[in-house]
């Protein structure tokens, strides 16, 4: 592990001496700080728990510590560690990663030695809200352990920008008093990184006129959609829904935040506008990230798909939309005859289209950033030729936004823009019978037009850089090889390639190319997301996002140790990471090429992200200055009210009617909870109300409140799913069989409306698809079943407490013994459940008279022998007795004739 930098050492010492919450700027190395703490406590003498880490992050931390020579590595608690051995596992000490569900259960059942815990490290601390599992763990820990530490880390300052006193509430849930803020503009960070600045070459690439026109059109449409949305919903007149924010990444979350609580009240027009905003944002992203063919394909699909065309809110008919389509097509092809061009635009008839397709002349506008990238690679190549002073040629790392962009760049570098775009066009738009003919015509047109096109660079570069080819091949042969090779790469990386031209080329050639590209790069690197380009010097392309391992790029950066980094797409976190990387390797050269479209939404998106983080830190600094922190916040003594488990207020008046108001002997309330329920926040809230929880694995029900009351909890999505697949019916059968009071609890999300269906949409008749109809049938079928409707988990916890009053406590052993296959009924072992179910299905027998019938008759065989009068005496109702007698004794023929007579 690299030594900590000056400002990192300062943060480490501050946090080591006094517990607190550290909020760092993105990319400033919060993971390095946590690693330093992990390394400090990786010894058997201490027991430290780490919360809120995902398996890939845990893997990364363990790998880093292993490479650093740490002997007692962190361990993971998973379901594979059995309950019996769990206590021993914890007492072996060291650092332990565990899921929240396991830790909650272990704290409640005392499988973890709470008093021996040295402390807890909380990662991604901005997620610690009051009712989450991690907050429950910290509360249980502080109730049982007053001396251990709690240290929290996060690099998401923007998350604290929402809500009232968000940071103060998070600190309260973390039981910490100190707040450490380390923005990028902190004087210690800024002065240190200024001393170790990498050499940065900013290249502002100009967009082509067509791209600029398309961007303007999309922004106009976006603006019109936002205006329309606010016109239909005046409640949305807020700053957050501005055009500047609409092009940023978090916009989807913002709009859902405002619309979710009233989603069921919104009209079709508003929902359609929200969908259109999503589509327009995707178009904006595709414009700068991918090539002209991919963009046009997405755009044409909006008109081609009847569903998308029908659901569109009207923006497809605006002038800006027409301009966007015209410019997008002009980037890919033009139609030779101007009259036909006009006609083709105005008419949608397929006959005209087919006629026009033969007249198309390919333009295939190259992406301006590709040209800039080629120039950069040429410059790096020239520098590497004279690199003896630096100890040989430098490695190159190219970073693009995602997997698809990386695959496209790799093909461009190896094949050149012309070959790549022609193949992509042929694959996307040349799928009809005349595709081959069109393609040959297009190639001739392009070649006759543009032999002087500056496309020789990448072609020549391919010959230079590919490890196997020493001399330049003839152009025709090279083109065929390239198309074949790109086809193979595309098939692997994105989707199956249409078997058009590449079918004719030999598979042996294909496999040899495949080997040339991949085999040299497969072994060395710790990430599986990279795309190898050249072997010597090593040049690879890596996506900034979308890898299964969040630290894949960090691993590659430290493994490859590039001298040149090309940022094809800008991403704030990685830019900062490069600053830290340069500062941790003083004396070693690093040059960063920063490619960005000048005056584009891409540039605006980057600047907005920077501004939002800066504003978030400024707000946090102001909040910190005025924050009032109680002395007992850390909960190290009994004065912290957050640790008191009691719903009763101090002002609760004693009831004087019971023995003159003397204090009644209270019984500790208990609820048996199914293990799987610890994924929800309800157990935490029940425990907070002073009720003990016994976590066990239940087969019937989720919560056992009393020996007679069993509750099955369903969220709305779960309710709909289990009604559709029949699971809820089976659960209700089991609950009704084994418990006197089966309860179905329907729990709503507190952030969403407390309404199962929109107002005014109740069906007149029962329908098999309607959720209310299904619930009605369920209650008719199970008369004993009670349904509880709860607006939030807080309301549920309060309701449970009231339902338990003056009732005996449940027994966990008995609850565990009840399974769906149990033959013996807990309440009475007189009856067999199979015949009982059969009886209830017979006409004339219902839940009210079933018990009387079973008391008088020993078996079904005996029931058949009874006369109608005897049945009348037992059932107490002549109609029911006749119904039952006829069902048993009537033959099929008699039943049919009787039915005919009725008609």
């Amino acid at each position: 592990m690299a030594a900590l930098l000056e400002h990192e050492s300062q943060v480490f010492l501050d946090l080591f001496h006094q517990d607190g919450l550290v909020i760092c700027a993105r990319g400033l190395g919060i993971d390095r700080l946590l690693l330093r703490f992990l390394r400090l406590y990786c010894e058997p003498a201490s027991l430290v728990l780490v919360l809120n880490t995902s398996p890939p992050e845990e893997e990364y931390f363990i790998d880093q510590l292993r490479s650093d020579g740490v002997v007692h590595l962190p361990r993971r608690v998973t379901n594979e560690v059995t309950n019996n051995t769990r206590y021993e596992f914890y007492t072996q000490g060291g650092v332990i990663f565990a899921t929240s569900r396991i830790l909650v259960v272990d704290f409640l059942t005392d499988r973890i030695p709470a008093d021996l815990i040295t402390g807890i490290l909380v990662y991604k601390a901005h997620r610690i809200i009051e009712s989450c599992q991690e907050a429950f763990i910290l509360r249980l820990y502080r109730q049982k352990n007053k001396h251990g530490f709690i240290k929290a880390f996060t690099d998401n300052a923007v998350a604290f920008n929402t809500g009232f006193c968000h940071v103060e509430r998070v600190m309260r849930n973390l039981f910490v008093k100190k707040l450490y803020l380390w923005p990028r503009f902190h004087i210690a960070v800024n002065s240190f990184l200024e001393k170790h600045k990498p050499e940065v070459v900013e290249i502002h690439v100009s967009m082509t006129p067509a791209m600029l026109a398309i961007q303007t059109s999309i922004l106009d449409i976006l603006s019109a959609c936002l205006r329309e949305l606010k016109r239909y919903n005046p409640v949305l007149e807020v700053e957050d829904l501005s055009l500047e924010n609409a092009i940023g990444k978090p916009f989807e979350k913002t709009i859902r935040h405002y619309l979710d609580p009233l989603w069921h009240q919104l009209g079709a027009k508003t929902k359609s506008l929200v969908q259109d905003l999503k589509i327009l944002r995707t178009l904006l992203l595709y414009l700068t990230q991918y090539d002209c063919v991919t963009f046009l394909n997405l755009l044409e699909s909006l008109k081609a798909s009847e569903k998308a065309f029908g659901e569109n809110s009207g923006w497809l008919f605006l002038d800006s939309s027409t301009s966007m389509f015209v410019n997008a097509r002009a980037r890919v092809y033009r139609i030779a005859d101007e009259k036909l061009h006009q006609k083709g635009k105005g008419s949608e008839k397929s006959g005209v289209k087919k006629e026009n397709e033969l007249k198309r002349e390919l333009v295939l506008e190259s992406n301006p950033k590709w040209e800039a990238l080629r120039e950069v690679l040429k410059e790096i190549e020239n520098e590497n030729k004279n690199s003896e002073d630096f100890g040989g040629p430098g490695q190159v790392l190219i970073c693009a936004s995602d997997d698809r962009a990386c695959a496209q760049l790799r093909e461009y570098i190896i094949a050149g823009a012309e070959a790549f775009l022609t193949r992509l066009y042929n694959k996307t738009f040349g799928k009809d019978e005349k595709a081959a003919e069109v393609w040959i015509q297009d190639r001739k047109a392009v070649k006759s037009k543009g032999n002087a096109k500056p496309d020789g660079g990448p072609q020549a570069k391919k010959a230079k850089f590919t490890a196997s080819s020493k001399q330049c091949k003839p152009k025709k042969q090279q083109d065929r090889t390239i198309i074949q090779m790109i086809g193979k790469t595309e098939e692997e990386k994105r989707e199956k390639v249409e078997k058009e031209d590449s079918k004719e080329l030999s598979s042996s050639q294909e496999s040899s190319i495949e080997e040339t590209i991949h085999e040299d790069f497969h072994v060395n690197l710790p990430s599986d997301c990279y795309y190898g380009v050249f072997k010597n010097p090593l040049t690879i392309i890596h996506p900034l996002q979308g890898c299964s391992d969040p630290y894949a790029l960090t691993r590659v950066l430290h493994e490859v140790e590039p001298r040149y980094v090309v940022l094809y797409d800008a991403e704030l976190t990685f830019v900062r990471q490069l600053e830290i990387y340069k500062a941790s390797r003083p004396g070693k050269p690093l040059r960063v090429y920063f490619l960005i479209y000048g005056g584009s939404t891409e540039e605006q998106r980057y600047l907005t992200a920077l501004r939002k983080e800066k504003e978030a830190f400024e707000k946090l600094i102001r909040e910190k200055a005025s924050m009032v922190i109680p002395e007992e916040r850390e909960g190290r003594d009994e004065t912290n009210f957050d640790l008191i488990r009691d719903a009763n207020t101090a002002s609760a008046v004693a009831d004087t009617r019971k023995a003159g108001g003397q204090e009644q002997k209270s019984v500790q309330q208990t609820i048996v909870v199914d293990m799987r329920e610890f994924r929800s926040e309800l157990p935490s809230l029940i425990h907070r109300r002073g009720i003990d929880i016994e976590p066990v694995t239940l087969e019937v029900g989720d919560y056992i409140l009393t020996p007679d009351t069993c509750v099955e909890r369903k969220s709305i999505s779960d309710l709909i799913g289990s009604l559709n697949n029949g699971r809820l019916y089976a659960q209700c059968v089991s609950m009704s069989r084994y418990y006197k009071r089966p309860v179905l609890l329907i729990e709503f999300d507190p952030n969403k409306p407390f309404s199962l269906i929109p107002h005014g949409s109740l069906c007149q008749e029962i329908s098999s698809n309607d959720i209310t109809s299904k619930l009605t049938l369920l209650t008719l079928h199970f008369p004993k079943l009670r349904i509880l409707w709860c607006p939030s988990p807080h309301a549920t916890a309060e309701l449970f407490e009231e339902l338990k009053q003056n009732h005996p406590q449940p027994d966990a052993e008995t609850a565990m013994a009840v399974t769906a296959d149990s033959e013996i009924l807990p309440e009475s072992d007189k009856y067999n459940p199979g015949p009982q179910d059969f009886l209830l299905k017979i006409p004339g027998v219902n839940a009210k008279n079933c018990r009387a019938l079973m008391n008088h008759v020993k078996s079904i065989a005996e029931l058949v022998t009874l006369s109608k009068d005897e049945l009348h005496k037992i059932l107490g109702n002549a109609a029911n007795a006749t119904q039952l007698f006829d069902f048993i004794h009537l033959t099929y023929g008699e039943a049919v004739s009787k039915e005919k007579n009725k008609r």
Side-chain angles (χ1 to χ4, degrees):
M1 189 194 298
L4 287 182
L5 306 178
E6 274 179 27
H7 66 276
E8 290 175 335
S9 302
Q10 185 60 50
V11 183
F12 174 77
L13 290 170
D14 287 349
L15 194 57
F16 178 73
H17 290 302
Q18 189 166 7
D19 294 359
L21 166 63
V22 172
I23 304 175
C24 258
R26 279 198 180 284
L28 276 192
I30 200 81
D31 52 329
R32 287 161 59 91
L33 187 61
L34 180 60
L35 259 172
R36 180 58 58 163
F37 275 104
L38 294 180
R39 187 182 176 187
L40 181 68
Y41 295 114
C42 271
E43 53 183 23
S46 57
L47 172 58
V48 173
L49 304 176
V50 185
L51 299 183
N52 241 355
T53 49
S54 63
E57 287 165 345
E58 291 163 13
E59 196 63 53
Y60 170 74
F61 291 134
I62 292 170
D63 284 352
Q64 291 295 312
L65 292 166
R66 188 184 289 121
S67 64
D68 206 33
V70 172
V71 181
H72 203 273
L73 288 170
R75 292 167 301 142
R76 290 176 180 174
V77 180
T78 59
N79 294 330
E80 292 166 14
V81 182
T82 58
N83 295 347
N84 309 331
T85 58
R86 203 83 60 77
Y87 189 87
E88 291 170 29
F89 189 89
Y90 289 124
T91 49
Q92 287 167 16
V95 173
I96 288 175
F97 294 113
T99 63
S100 305
R101 193 167 68 89
I102 288 176
L103 278 180
V104 166
V105 172
D106 285 354
F107 267 111
L108 288 169
T109 54
D110 287 328
R111 281 196 208 114
I112 187 166
D115 53 323
L116 299 180
I117 297 174
T118 315
I120 294 183
L121 300 172
V122 186
Y123 199 44
K124 290 180 280 203
H126 57 277
R127 296 183 181 172
I128 309 296
I129 58 168
E130 185 189 358
S131 54
C132 73
Q133 292 297 342
E134 288 74 23
F136 188 18
I137 291 166
L138 292 168
R139 199 165 73 242
L140 289 168
Y141 164 67
R142 261 294 170 252
Q143 282 166 355
K144 298 180 179 188
N145 183 327
K146 303 290 183 189
H147 54 267
F149 65 74
I150 295 174
K151 302 182 193 300
F153 312 81
T154 183
D155 61 354
N156 191 345
V158 182
F160 293 100
N161 229 351
T162 56
F164 180 68
C165 293
H166 192 155
V167 70
E168 204 168 332
R169 282 182 289 141
V170 168
M171 288 171 68
R172 183 178 171 180
N173 296 329
L174 288 166
F175 298 98
V176 295
K177 286 201 292 190
K178 293 288 283 183
L179 176 62
Y180 302 104
L181 300 174
W182 287 85
R184 172 64 180 82
F185 56 80
H186 191 292
I187 190 156
V189 179
N190 200 32
S191 59
F192 176 73
L193 291 179
E194 283 297 312
K195 288 182 210 163
H196 302 277
K197 271 205 303 196
E199 184 189 345
V200 179
V201 181
E202 269 194 50
I203 302 171
H204 285 264
V205 184
S206 299
M207 296 169 88
T208 62
M211 285 174 79
L212 277 169
I214 292 169
Q215 180 179 278
T216 309
S217 301
I218 297 175
L219 289 175
D220 284 349
I221 300 166
L222 256 176
S223 186
C225 284
L226 282 170
R227 275 199 308 274
E228 196 80 348
L229 190 67
K230 289 175 182 178
R231 189 167 70 83
Y232 277 94
N233 305 280
V235 72
L236 296 180
E237 282 292 346
V238 285
E239 288 176 15
D240 293 352
L241 300 182
S242 63
L243 186 60
E244 184 191 357
N245 289 335
I247 60 177
K249 282 180 189 170
F251 184 70
E252 306 256 315
K253 273 187 187 172
T254 310
I255 202 158
R256 296 301 290 183
H257 169 74
Y258 285 108
L259 292 179
D260 262 354
L262 41 116
W263 188 254
H264 68 298
Q265 298 169 357
L266 299 177
K269 180 79 173 174
T270 304
K271 290 179 182 178
S272 164
L273 282 165
V274 171
Q275 186 59 30
D276 287 344
L277 285 172
K278 194 175 179 181
I279 291 167
L280 290 163
R281 282 160 44 79
T282 309
L283 283 170
L284 213 45
L285 213 60
Y286 268 52
L287 179 66
T288 51
Q289 277 189 2
Y290 306 125
D291 58 277
C292 57
V293 178
T294 309
F295 179 79
L296 181 64
N297 188 30
L298 173 68
L299 201 56
E300 294 286 11
S301 72
L302 297 178
K303 270 196 174 177
S305 157
E306 198 175 315
K307 184 171 180 284
F309 192 75
E311 286 178 358
N312 152 61
S313 61
W315 66 264
L316 275 173
F317 310 111
L318 297 174
D319 291 344
S320 301
S321 171
T322 311
S323 157
M324 173 168 65
F325 274 91
V326 169
N327 282 299
R329 286 169 186 154
R331 290 176 71 202
V332 180
Y333 59 79
R334 62 180 179 186
I335 294 163
D337 190 352
E338 284 303 313
K339 287 177 189 174
L340 273 176
H341 181 59
Q342 293 297 326
K343 194 177 178 184
K345 256 199 302 176
S347 170
E348 290 295 325
K349 289 179 185 174
S350 57
V352 177
K353 269 195 167 180
K354 278 191 177 175
E355 196 182 325
N356 287 350
E357 270 184 17
L358 290 173
K359 304 272 183 186
R360 281 181 187 175
E361 217 175 83
L362 287 191
V363 177
L364 296 179
E365 179 182 274
S366 177
N367 200 328
K369 264 197 192 179
W370 290 356
E371 301 297 325
L373 179 64
R374 190 188 65 179
E375 294 300 322
V376 165
L377 290 176
K378 206 179 271 182
E379 184 182 316
I380 292 171
E381 183 196 346
N382 291 334
E383 286 203 10
N384 275 336
K385 284 177 184 170
N386 315 310
S387 58
E388 285 78 22
D389 301 346
F390 301 115
Q395 325 269 45
V396 184
L397 174 64
I398 304 168
C399 295
S401 59
D402 58 17
D403 215 39
R404 190 177 193 171
C406 291
Q408 288 197 352
L409 283 183
R410 180 175 178 280
E411 291 177 30
Y412 163 71
I413 292 167
I414 293 172
E418 185 189 342
F420 168 46
L421 289 172
T422 308
R423 188 203 60 78
L424 203 56
Y425 172 80
N426 188 37
K427 168 180 168 283
T428 313
F429 295 107
K431 289 176 185 172
D432 58 304
E433 291 168 15
K434 296 178 182 173
E437 190 187 333
V438 174
W439 181 70
I440 290 160
Q441 285 186 6
D442 288 340
R443 293 289 289 160
K444 280 178 185 169
V446 171
K447 285 197 174 178
S448 62
K449 247 176 38 184
N451 271 345
K453 273 195 173 185
D455 216 30
Q459 298 282 356
K461 284 181 78 61
K462 191 253 172 187
K464 258 182 241 170
F465 282 123
T466 306
S468 58
S469 57
K470 302 277 181 187
Q471 72 277 358
C472 208
K473 295 175 185 175
K475 190 166 172 62
K476 196 171 182 182
Q477 174 63 31
Q478 190 181 341
D479 266 0
R480 289 187 58 187
T481 316
I482 285 157
I483 289 166
Q484 166 65 21
M485 177 172 68
I486 291 168
K488 184 69 182 164
T489 313
E490 277 293 305
E491 188 176 342
E492 278 196 359
K493 299 295 173 193
R494 294 212 299 274
E495 50 191 305
K496 286 188 178 176
V497 171
E498 299 294 324
K499 294 175 181 175
E500 293 164 48
D501 313 304
S502 54
K503 203 196 280 181
E504 298 162 15
L505 298 161
S506 69
S507 58
S508 60
Q509 199 179 18
E510 187 178 289
S511 60
S512 68
I513 290 156
E514 183 67 17
E515 281 166 24
T516 326
I517 300 162
H518 285 290
E519 84 177 324
D520 299 324
F521 307 102
H522 191 66
V523 188
N524 326 1
L525 298 180
S527 164
D528 55 355
C529 302
Y530 67 91
Y531 292 75
V533 184
F534 312 130
K535 176 72 169 35
N536 195 16
L538 181 62
T539 303
I540 60 167
I541 308 176
H542 200 288
L544 290 161
Q545 291 148 347
C547 299
S548 54
D549 176 7
Y551 291 101
L553 189 53
T554 312
R555 289 172 188 263
V556 168
L557 183 65
H558 288 97
E559 184 79 22
V560 175
E561 295 199 337
R563 188 183 301 161
Y564 305 101
V565 176
V566 183
L567 289 174
Y568 184 83
D569 289 303
E571 212 258 325
L572 181 61
T573 309
F574 189 61
V575 172
R576 300 249 178 84
Q577 217 173 317
L578 285 172
E579 287 188 294
I580 298 291
Y581 168 72
K582 172 69 178 82
S584 60
R585 299 162 72 252
K588 293 188 180 178
L590 173 68
R591 183 183 297 167
V592 179
Y593 290 93
F594 199 90
L595 303 183
I596 201 156
Y597 283 118
S600 70
T601 52
E602 179 194 30
E603 183 180 35
Q604 186 56 52
R605 204 178 295 124
Y606 180 77
L607 294 173
T608 304
L610 262 175
R611 179 180 60 77
K612 286 209 163 172
E613 190 187 74
K614 183 170 177 285
E615 284 173 0
F617 269 113
E618 285 169 351
K619 184 184 174 188
L620 283 169
I621 290 165
R622 287 195 301 275
E623 276 190 33
K624 185 181 176 182
S626 59
M627 202 184 285
V628 178
I629 308 249
E631 192 59 40
E632 66 278 359
R633 168 61 55 81
E634 291 190 351
R636 293 184 188 272
D637 47 34
E638 298 302 328
T639 53
N640 188 329
F641 291 117
D642 290 328
L643 295 175
I644 296 169
R645 290 179 54 213
D646 194 6
N648 298 332
T649 56
S651 59
V653 181
D655 187 355
T656 54
R657 297 180 70 182
K658 288 184 181 173
Q662 70 185 30
E663 202 171 303
Q664 299 295 311
K665 192 173 151 186
S666 61
V667 179
Q668 178 55 47
Q669 302 282 324
T670 309
I671 291 180
V672 178
V673 183
D674 183 37
M675 289 282 197
R676 291 172 287 262
E677 278 300 299
F678 283 94
R679 293 190 184 96
S680 74
E681 54 195 82
L682 185 53
S684 161
L685 299 170
I686 292 171
H687 186 269
R688 187 79 181 261
R689 299 190 76 85
I691 301 171
D692 280 351
I693 290 172
E694 286 198 49
V696 294
T697 304
L698 297 175
E699 276 200 39
V700 177
D702 292 329
Y703 297 85
I704 312 297
L705 305 187
T706 70
D708 297 335
T709 312
C710 170
V711 179
E712 180 69 37
R713 187 187 72 90
K714 295 284 179 196
S715 63
I716 299 302
S717 56
D718 194 15
L719 175 74
I720 294 165
S722 53
L723 275 172
N724 288 339
N725 63 22
R727 196 172 80 245
L728 184 56
Y729 178 85
Q731 288 168 333
C732 289
V733 166
S734 301
M735 287 198 298
S736 303
R737 178 175 293 165
Y738 301 115
Y739 291 95
K740 283 182 184 171
R741 293 191 193 88
V743 177
L744 173 63
L745 166 73
I746 300 172
E747 193 177 84
F748 287 76
D749 185 336
N751 300 321
K752 294 191 179 174
F754 184 38
S755 162
L756 192 60
I757 50 169
H759 296 302
S761 67
L762 273 169
C763 296
Q764 294 296 315
E765 295 175 12
I766 284 183
S767 146
S768 59
N769 299 325
D770 186 41
I771 185 171
T772 47
S773 301
K774 288 179 180 175
L775 271 178
T776 310
L777 290 170
L778 194 74
T779 48
L780 286 171
H781 204 91
F782 299 101
K784 286 203 295 181
L785 184 70
R786 299 287 172 264
I787 297 182
L788 295 180
W789 302 82
C790 289
S792 71
H794 289 80
T796 308
E798 192 176 343
L799 201 58
F800 277 8
E801 190 175 20
E802 288 174 13
L803 287 171
K804 281 187 63 59
Q805 279 176 6
N806 305 321
H807 283 93
Q809 305 311 311
D811 178 47
E813 295 296 324
T814 312
M816 280 173 73
V818 175
T819 65
D821 303 322
S822 300
E823 286 299 320
I824 298 167
L825 290 166
E827 66 206 46
S828 161
D829 54 1
K830 274 193 210 171
Y831 311 117
N832 222 349
Q836 188 179 347
D837 287 347
F838 176 74
L839 265 184
L840 284 165
K841 300 282 189 293
I842 297 175
V845 182
N846 53 42
K848 289 177 183 175
N849 59 28
C850 180
R851 189 58 54 93
L853 192 62
M854 288 192 291
N855 283 336
H856 285 86
V857 182
K858 287 183 180 176
S859 66
I860 302 281
E862 190 183 332
L863 176 66
V864 175
T865 62
L866 298 179
S867 67
K868 193 184 284 190
D869 293 336
E870 285 173 313
L871 285 173
H872 184 189
K873 276 181 193 172
I874 295 168
L875 297 176
N877 183 309
N880 284 344
T882 308
Q883 228 180 341
L884 177 56
F885 186 82
D886 286 354
F887 172 75
I888 293 168
H889 296 285
L890 222 61
T891 64
Y892 176 70
E894 288 172 330
V896 170
S897 62
K898 199 173 180 182
E899 190 65 30
K900 279 180 182 173
N901 292 338
K902 271 187 188 177
R903 286 176 190 170

